[in-house]
Amino acid sequence: MRVSVRLILALIAGVTLVTFLFARSEVDSEKRGLRSDLERRAEVLGDIVAEDVGPIETAGPRERLQQRRLQQIVERFGNRERLVGAAVYDLQGELLAVSSKVAEEIAQEPAVTEQVKRQDREGGSFLQAGNKTMHVFVMPLTGDAGVTGKLVILHDASYIQAQSVAIWRQAVWHVLLQVLIITTITMLIVRWSIVGPLAKTAQWLRELRAGRRSPPPQTSGDLIGPLSHEVISIARSLVAARAAAEEEARLREAGESVWTADRLRIHVLSKLQNGRLFVVSNREPYEHVIGDKGIEVRVPASGLVTALEPVLVACDGTWIAHGAGSADTQTVDRHDRLRVPPERPQYTLRRVWLSQEEEDGYYYGFSNEGLWPLCHIAHTRPIFRKGDWDRYQSANAKFARAVLEEMERTEEPFVLVQDYHFALLPRMIKEARPETRVGIFWHIPWPNPQAFGICPWEKELLDGLLGADLIGFHTQSHCNYFLETIDSCLESRIDREHFAVNRGGHRTLVKPFPISVALSDGSDDAHQPLLPDRAALFRQLGVEAAFMGIGVDRIDYTKGILERFRGIERFFEKNPGYREKFTFIQIGAPSRTRIKSYSDLMAETEWEAERINERFRAGNWRPIVFLKRHHSHREIEAYYRAAHVCLVTSLHDGMNLVAKEFVASRDDDQGALILSGFTGASRELRDAIIVNPYDTEALADAIRTALDMDPAERNARMQRMRRVVKEHNIYRWAASLIAELSEIRIDQPEKAAAVSS
Ligand code: G6P
């Protein structure tokens, strides 16, 4: 039997039972009330009649006279509501007087006379006479000589039964009405909240099974909402697993070996075995800030999240980072931890707090005014202050303590340190927990030994780095420069065959791992841009143009934004035909603005954009739109997909993920990439139009080449670049880093020293 029918029948049975039980008790009490009421009335009436009747003369001359009087009295009481009448008997049970209706009843029902004869005391009783119920009230009549006769008052009590029947009938109607209402409501609830959502979910599952993807049904808030939610999650996982298996099979078939998130997950789990992964970076993957609508979560502008999140998700690791958001302290637990990503928590983020003084010295000062320009060689002088160096050391120690706390109960920890903010961290961790596998990835370029040599704490930095088992750079040339720097600065034995440094009994491997992005197949909702078409984007910006160029950067002097603008200006000088047709959109995320060179650059970038706009502006057209704010990945994706050309003109860049993100987003195989030859990405994306950003003339010509390129060629170039990004994707980067780290032989320590605070 269907559940809904069973539910309805159970409800009906329940309601009927309850209603009838109530009806029965009502009938009983009504009957009791009416009966006692009738008895009381009969009694009162009996008293009145008895008083009128007086003593009965049983012999003598007055007997006949009395008979007539009695008859008159009983007749008087014979015509009242529900009262049948009265009768007077002598002691022998002979009728002395009787009202007419009583006479009829007595004639038909001898039981009345029987009852009167039997009863000697005052009282009433109910008799069933045919289909009628009678109430017979008998009252002895007394005179001087004692009891002389009996007075009988007869009531028709059938109305009591009729009243009970009416109550039962009403109860039946109530039951019917309630059954109708309950059935309707139950049916509607079952339909809206259970059957409907289940049917929708089933239909969705059927379509998924048949390979058709459609958005999952909205069932939240319904009775089966949570269940449906779980079913949808499982179905999604199964579909993803099936897609991964199909992709694997397809790749095996095609002889390719593309890394996927699933493959990485299995790989990482097999490499870590019993170990756990800890990632340390200065920039956190999610920061909480106080915005207009309360606490908001933001993904900072950094390639780190794109690169590292899949690894952390794969093994449910822990990411330790500086809590820099204005609402960060409000969103952690008492151990300064929270689970992320916020919409689908899969790993732990541990926040480390820094005072303003620490942040100024370690982050703004030593890291970004010292090491950043030192490594980038972009003609901004590095500044080295002793105070900043002290803060850098203490901040590294603070992070080391946090890492050690997090891995306290882990027997085989893997630590992946990120970037130039933590050159001292590998040694600190290794000294405290020598069995830890420590790797550091240097995301920015490594300069030549002479350039690095200007740092007053060169030796200390190198010594800190060599605490690691593995040091990764984006390119082979960065590895070479690093080994040369070690060679020129420290006592060590360099094994050039295996690219390793042996020092103080410890061996550090140095290898290139070109970082990358994931290449979406477009099926993922998160990759669907907000505004997919170019016209809509231009409209939103209030610009009329036919061709779109895009640049996406943090406002940083290494990115060559001013050089790019000069190239665009020159392009319009040389190609007036493109005026009023081509608009370049520069998305610029404000960055490190407390540093003077950065705030100056921000002002200068705005000023340059304005100057060029003033020079060429016409009607609703402008050559440059400068969007100076943080944009989400989805917002940027819309521009990537709409642009004819993307400009990456870094003066020096370890890799540059914007170039790869642009390629990854072009699943239409359209769009041209202009790429600085001073980026790590230019080593891999050889089908980009490679430029020297300092060469304004060449840059202007590259824009023209990109816009005028034969569509077939543009297509072919993009296809080749996409193949490179697909094969050398972020999963492969993470997999090789973890694999390399897991294969390193760990020297077993004698004694672990604690990290000094
Ligand atoms: C570069 C660095 C990252 C850094 C990012 C953003 O890509 O290699 O470590 O996170 O810039 O800079 P910020 O100072 O804002 O973290």
Side-chain angles (χ1 to χ4, degrees):
M1 209 189 308
R2 285 172 56 183
V3 176
S4 46
V5 175
R6 262 185 284 168
L7 183 67
I8 290 170
L9 286 182
L11 283 169
I12 291 175
V15 165
T16 312
L17 187 69
V18 169
T19 312
F20 283 136
L21 284 177
F22 274 111
R24 189 193 168 126
S25 114
E26 199 186 339
V27 164
D28 285 351
S29 95
E30 183 78 9
K31 254 185 177 171
R32 263 196 311 278
L34 289 174
R35 278 171 173 241
S36 74
D37 193 44
L38 183 61
E39 274 167 354
R40 225 176 318 111
R41 265 197 289 151
E43 239 176 86
V44 172
L45 200 60
D47 283 347
I48 296 169
V49 179
E51 214 176 291
D52 276 6
V53 169
I56 303 288
E57 298 290 337
T58 49
R62 281 192 293 166
E63 192 188 339
R64 200 160 312 145
L65 219 117
Q66 170 188 268
Q67 195 124 13
R68 257 204 319 276
R69 196 173 56 84
L70 286 178
Q71 191 57 38
Q72 278 165 3
I73 293 171
V74 292
E75 288 295 355
R76 219 172 51 231
F77 289 96
N79 255 339
R80 304 216 178 153
E81 190 202 2
R82 290 171 193 159
L83 176 66
V84 178
V88 179
Y89 286 81
D90 66 10
L91 271 184
Q92 282 70 45
E94 290 300 317
L95 263 176
L96 297 179
V98 63
S99 62
S100 53
K101 278 200 187 154
V102 175
E104 280 169 31
E105 293 296 340
I106 291 173
Q108 280 173 22
E109 199 49 68
V112 177
T113 312
E114 293 300 307
Q115 175 68 22
V116 176
K117 282 185 182 164
R118 262 199 317 273
Q119 194 169 336
D120 293 328
R121 279 187 295 153
E122 180 182 319
S125 55
F126 288 89
L127 280 183
Q128 194 61 40
N131 52 0
K132 264 193 211 162
T133 307
M134 293 288 186
H135 181 251
V136 182
F137 181 76
V138 179
M139 186 178 214
L141 297 168
T142 45
D144 296 340
V147 177
T148 51
K150 290 176 186 173
L151 170 66
V152 175
I153 306 281
L154 206 62
H155 274 100
D156 183 353
S158 302
Y159 71 95
I160 296 178
Q161 187 55 31
Q163 184 67 8
S164 306
V165 171
I167 293 173
W168 280 116
R169 193 173 300 129
Q170 208 174 23
V172 170
W173 279 115
H174 280 177
V175 166
L176 287 178
L177 194 66
Q178 286 177 31
V179 162
L180 188 71
I181 293 171
I182 287 173
T183 312
T184 314
I185 292 177
T186 310
M187 298 273 280
L188 289 177
I189 290 178
V190 166
R191 170 136 205 89
W192 285 335
S193 306
I194 302 174
V195 179
L198 276 179
K200 276 195 231 161
T201 308
Q203 173 64 20
W204 181 73
L205 288 173
R206 260 195 302 279
E207 288 190 4
L208 272 192
R209 199 154 39 84
R212 286 189 297 276
R213 282 187 179 211
S214 55
Q218 298 292 321
T219 50
S220 56
D222 291 306
L223 276 177
I224 60 143
L227 178 69
S228 179
H229 183 77
E230 286 307 316
V231 169
I232 288 170
S233 304
I234 292 173
R236 276 188 165 147
S237 315
L238 289 178
V239 168
R242 189 168 75 178
E246 281 170 5
E247 178 69 0
E248 274 293 322
R250 196 190 62 71
L251 294 173
R252 257 200 312 277
E253 184 72 6
E256 292 179 43
S257 66
V258 170
W259 280 87
T260 60
D262 283 309
R263 189 170 163 195
L264 172 67
R265 192 171 49 78
I266 293 159
H267 176 84
V268 169
L269 291 179
S270 84
K271 292 292 171 192
L272 291 185
Q273 295 201 349
N274 301 327
R276 285 206 59 214
L277 181 68
F278 301 86
V279 165
V280 198
S281 75
N282 173 69
R283 188 58 69 198
E284 56 185 336
Y286 296 94
E287 63 182 15
H288 288 91
V289 289
I290 301 178
D292 301 338
K293 297 175 211 135
I295 294 181
E296 290 167 13
V297 59
R298 268 191 8 190
V299 178
S302 161
L304 279 184
V305 187
T306 332
L308 292 169
E309 186 146 82
V311 196
L312 271 300
V313 166
C315 61
D316 190 0
T318 299
W319 187 327
I320 299 129
H322 172 209
S326 52
D328 273 357
T329 49
Q330 298 172 43
T331 42
V332 289
D333 65 12
R334 62 196 174 88
H335 302 291
D336 299 327
R337 297 183 192 129
L338 72 155
R339 298 281 293 167
V340 286
E343 70 284 357
R344 200 169 166 218
Q346 280 163 295
Y347 65 93
T348 302
L349 169 61
R350 158 76 192 269
R351 285 176 172 152
V352 176
W353 315 114
L354 296 176
S355 67
Q356 193 56 59
E357 205 189 8
E358 283 174 313
E359 196 183 354
D360 284 346
Y362 137 82
Y363 170 74
Y364 287 107
F366 195 78
S367 299
N368 286 316
E369 285 191 283
L371 289 179
W372 179 267
L374 177 79
C375 290
H376 277 92
I377 319 184
H379 314 290
T380 297
R381 273 193 186 187
I383 301 172
F384 292 110
R385 305 180 192 94
K386 171 72 170 72
D388 291 349
W389 167 241
D390 292 341
R391 295 272 167 271
Y392 186 82
Q393 293 175 89
S394 58
N396 270 245
K398 194 180 225 182
F399 274 87
R401 280 197 299 280
V403 177
L404 292 170
E405 256 172 52
E406 290 303 315
M407 57 191 222
E408 212 163 32
R409 271 180 287 277
T410 305
E411 278 181 12
E412 293 169 40
F414 281 59
V415 178
L416 261 186
V417 182
Q418 306 298 315
D419 238 350
Y420 58 100
H421 311 89
F422 297 119
L424 307 180
L425 204 58
R427 179 150 317 276
M428 290 174 172
I429 293 172
K430 203 69 176 174
E431 280 181 353
R433 294 280 304 268
E435 80 283 15
T436 312
R437 291 170 188 277
V438 183
I440 179 163
F441 191 81
W442 199 260
H443 288 257
I444 61 175
W446 190 274
N448 62 60
Q450 295 74 24
F452 198 80
I454 64 172
C455 173
W457 297 284
E458 177 190 20
K459 274 197 174 56
E460 288 84 344
L461 290 172
L462 294 176
D463 178 66
L465 284 169
L466 289 180
D469 300 297
L470 175 69
I471 303 181
F473 294 98
H474 289 302
T475 65
Q476 184 60 55
S477 67
H478 296 156
C479 297
N480 296 349
Y481 279 150
F482 179 74
L483 288 186
E484 281 175 37
T485 312
I486 297 286
D487 205 12
S488 70
C489 181
L490 292 181
E491 276 290 320
S492 65
R493 190 166 55 77
I494 296 180
D495 173 356
R496 293 206 184 267
E497 199 186 328
H498 298 103
F499 270 83
V501 182
N502 296 298
R503 185 162 173 270
H506 179 65
R507 183 179 166 86
T508 306
L509 206 63
V510 180
K511 283 195 76 168
F513 299 91
I515 205 166
S516 192
V517 295
L519 196 122
S520 142
D521 60 5
S523 60
D524 187 352
D525 286 353
H527 282 84
Q528 293 307 317
L530 294 175
L531 274 178
D533 75 286
R534 190 178 306 130
L537 288 170
F538 273 139
R539 232 186 347 267
Q540 196 183 46
L541 300 171
V543 173
E544 270 176 30
F547 299 97
M548 181 189 281
I550 180 74
V552 180
D553 305 86
R554 282 182 307 103
I555 303 295
D556 191 302
Y557 50 80
T558 61
K559 302 294 177 188
I561 301 170
L562 295 176
E563 285 72 9
R564 194 179 306 169
F565 284 2
R566 268 171 227 136
I568 292 166
E569 182 180 23
R570 186 74 190 116
F571 164 75
F572 284 117
E573 282 171 2
K574 291 175 86 170
N575 304 286
Y578 271 108
R579 291 182 200 169
E580 300 186 44
K581 290 200 178 104
F582 174 73
T583 289
F584 180 72
I585 296 163
Q586 175 64 51
I587 293 180
S591 173
R592 308 173 191 167
T593 42
R594 286 165 67 111
I595 299 174
K596 190 170 178 307
S597 50
Y598 283 81
S599 52
D600 286 352
L601 176 70
M602 174 64 93
E604 207 182 337
T605 309
E606 278 183 277
W607 190 86
E608 269 294 281
E610 214 29 56
R611 182 185 64 75
I612 297 168
N613 280 343
E614 280 313 309
R615 190 172 162 200
F616 298 107
R617 184 192 293 272
N620 280 340
W621 175 81
R622 281 175 283 165
I624 296 176
V625 176
F626 180 30
L627 301 175
K628 189 188 71 175
R629 69 166 173 87
H630 176 85
H631 284 65
S632 72
H633 196 78
R634 266 187 96 193
E635 287 176 298
I636 295 171
E637 187 105 342
Y639 287 100
Y640 281 152
R641 284 169 172 247
H644 289 94
V645 54
C646 174
L647 270 78
V648 176
T649 55
S650 309
L651 306 182
H652 201 180
D653 219 328
M655 172 53 69
N656 193 292
L657 288 182
V658 167
K660 290 190 175 179
E661 276 171 9
F662 174 68
V663 171
S665 69
R666 296 313 296 250
D667 51 8
D668 58 353
D669 293 336
Q670 296 294 320
L673 173 66
I674 295 179
L675 180 60
S676 159
F678 307 131
T679 60
S682 66
R683 305 277 177 284
E684 293 173 79
L685 302 178
R686 296 194 179 269
D687 278 287
I689 304 170
I690 306 291
V691 291
N692 169 2
Y694 294 97
D695 185 346
T696 309
E697 215 58 36
L699 194 49
D701 292 345
I703 299 173
R704 173 83 204 231
T705 308
L707 292 177
D708 288 354
M709 193 182 279
D710 172 49
E713 186 186 344
R714 197 164 46 221
N715 228 268
R717 281 179 182 240
M718 184 52 86
Q719 277 176 7
R720 285 196 292 268
M721 288 195 284
R722 282 178 65 76
R723 208 170 306 132
V724 170
V725 175
K726 189 174 179 186
E727 280 168 20
H728 298 263
N729 62 16
I730 186 60
Y731 307 119
R732 182 176 179 153
W733 175 82
S736 23
L737 205 54
I738 301 279
E740 199 68 63
L741 200 55
S742 70
E743 271 151 33
I744 281 170
R745 228 192 57 216
I746 297 291
D747 338 298
Q748 282 311 317
E750 280 150 29
K751 192 167 139 240
V755 177
S756 61
S757 37

